[in-house]
Amino acid sequence: MKRMNSAIKYLFALLLLFASCEKAPIDDDVDDGKQEQPGDSGDKDANVRVRVVQVEGASNLDERFSRLEIAVYNTEKRLKTIHQLRGEASFGEAGIRLSEGSYRLVVIGHSSNDSPTMTTPEKIHFTNTMGYTDTYYYYEAFTVGDQPIEKNVALAKASTTLRVVSTDPKTAEAKKLRIYYTGGSGELDATTGYGTVASRQTVMLSLPDSLTGHPVQFNAYTFLHAEEGLLNVTITTYDENDGTILEYTTDDIELSRTDTLELSGPLFSTVPVDPDTATTTSSSASVTINGQWAGYLHYSY
């Protein structure tokens, strides 16, 4: 009995010891695997303040994108990611607490359905599911010392726009439109502004009845691998049973990274409304690219 009482007293003493101990401090620069929720402006005790002050081609942030991603990395890994949505008070500003050392900052503005994977600055990865949009970026390597610093960020355009314009009105039977394209990338290297991988990108678009009787216009986006590149594009119109109404294919369209590539032609019938814009035969339709004749789109129906 005496031995049992001694054991109980020993255990009770251990419990008191553990209860009195404080938790070990967590390094501010260690990524705990959690990501900030939309609207979080960052650490309230921040010594690094990030503020987006300029967007290429826009007078304010709201004109170009609806989501903002702010990420900080050290030489080994991502340390912190802040996600913001348009309309929130903190949109475009964030505070981060960092110890002294060397870091890399990435800021991405976009309007996709979700946040891209941002494992490293060289691999900002978007997917077909979340969608591709006009995308802007900023990258900087910087050093934190013993004084607070502010980063005024100017976002540059990274995406190339592919614009599809119908020269004929949507028909009642047309329910969906698919834009499939290769030659670009769905992944961005934020250190260069170029695409990183050879992607097969797909945009699926619904064609509601409210568009019937009207021409349509849709945009798709990609990241070129250099200042100039080649795109291969297939555009397919479907009925309600996913049957193909028309399909156009064109290869090796040359364009620059800052271009908006416009493909215009009939998407719903074999006869275009405007003969000056596109001409047809039983097997092909001419395509207008940036106002100039540029080869043919072939289709089947």
Side-chain angles (χ1 to χ4, degrees):
M1 180 64 69
K2 290 183 178 180
R3 289 181 179 178
M4 184 177 295
N5 289 338
S6 298
I8 292 173
K9 290 180 180 180
Y10 178 72
L11 290 173
F12 183 71
L14 284 177
L15 291 173
L16 289 176
L17 177 63
F18 291 149
S20 64
C21 290
E22 294 182 358
K23 294 182 179 180
I26 298 175
D27 189 342
D28 290 334
D29 298 343
V30 174
D31 184 4
D32 61 4
K34 297 179 180 179
Q35 293 185 329
E36 285 67 27
Q37 298 300 314
D40 189 349
S41 60
D43 197 317
K44 302 302 185 294
D45 298 322
N47 59 345
V48 177
R49 293 285 176 184
V50 178
R51 180 179 293 106
V52 178
V53 296
Q54 184 177 345
V55 180
E56 182 179 346
S59 58
N60 58 68
L61 278 64
D62 291 358
E63 290 183 17
R64 289 293 182 264
F65 49 80
S66 60
R67 290 178 178 266
L68 197 65
E69 322 288 346
I70 301 171
V72 175
Y73 308 78
N74 61 11
T75 57
E76 299 176 350
K77 62 182 179 180
R78 176 178 57 85
L79 303 175
K80 192 176 186 68
T81 308
I82 297 174
H83 310 289
Q84 297 179 344
L85 297 176
R86 180 167 55 196
E88 295 168 349
S90 60
F91 193 60
E93 298 186 17
I96 304 167
R97 183 179 178 182
L98 298 170
S99 58
E100 295 185 18
S102 298
Y103 301 93
R104 298 197 290 171
L105 170 69
V106 172
V107 182
I108 302 292
H110 66 100
S111 300
S112 296
N113 297 325
D114 202 351
S115 297
T117 303
M118 302 178 66
T119 307
T120 70
E122 294 80 10
K123 295 182 180 294
I124 311 300
H125 187 71
F126 294 85
T127 67
N128 290 333
T129 301
M130 69 176 61
Y132 309 101
T133 68
D134 219 359
T135 303
Y136 297 79
Y137 76 104
Y138 177 86
Y139 169 81
E140 181 186 356
F142 68 101
T143 301
V144 174
D146 58 359
Q147 297 295 319
I149 58 177
E150 292 191 3
K151 294 293 178 184
N152 292 325
V153 170
L155 294 177
K157 183 177 170 63
S159 52
T160 299
T161 305
L162 168 61
R163 179 167 298 150
V164 176
V165 180
S166 74
T167 57
D168 57 347
K170 174 191 143 13
T171 57
E173 66 175 334
K175 298 299 182 182
K176 288 190 297 186
L177 184 73
R178 185 185 76 148
I179 306 172
Y180 171 77
Y181 48 109
T182 61
S185 175
E187 184 176 275
L188 173 69
D189 182 346
T191 69
T192 65
Y194 297 142
T196 62
V197 296
S199 298
R200 293 186 293 270
Q201 295 176 262
T202 301
V203 177
M204 290 297 300
L205 299 160
S206 175
L207 299 174
D209 292 339
S210 59
L211 294 178
T212 299
H214 303 282
V216 299
Q217 176 178 302
F218 298 104
N219 288 346
Y221 301 89
T222 193
F223 304 116
L224 294 186
H225 297 92
E227 286 301 313
E228 295 183 347
L230 299 174
L231 284 186
N232 308 307
V233 185
T234 298
I235 305 169
T236 311
T237 309
Y238 299 98
D239 61 22
E240 61 183 352
N241 298 315
D242 293 333
T244 299
I245 297 174
L246 287 176
E247 184 168 278
Y248 299 86
T249 299
T250 185
D251 296 326
D252 295 337
I253 304 174
E254 185 175 352
L255 72 163
S256 299
R257 186 165 69 109
T258 56
D259 283 349
T260 295
L261 171 63
E262 183 173 292
L263 301 180
S264 62
L267 296 178
F268 310 106
S269 64
T270 59
V271 180
V273 172
D274 184 0
D276 293 329
T277 302
T279 60
T280 63
T281 68
S282 59
S283 62
S284 64
S286 295
V287 181
T288 302
I289 301 178
N290 291 336
Q292 298 180 352
W293 295 107
Y296 291 89
L297 283 180
H298 300 285
Y299 64 87
S300 60
Y301 58 94

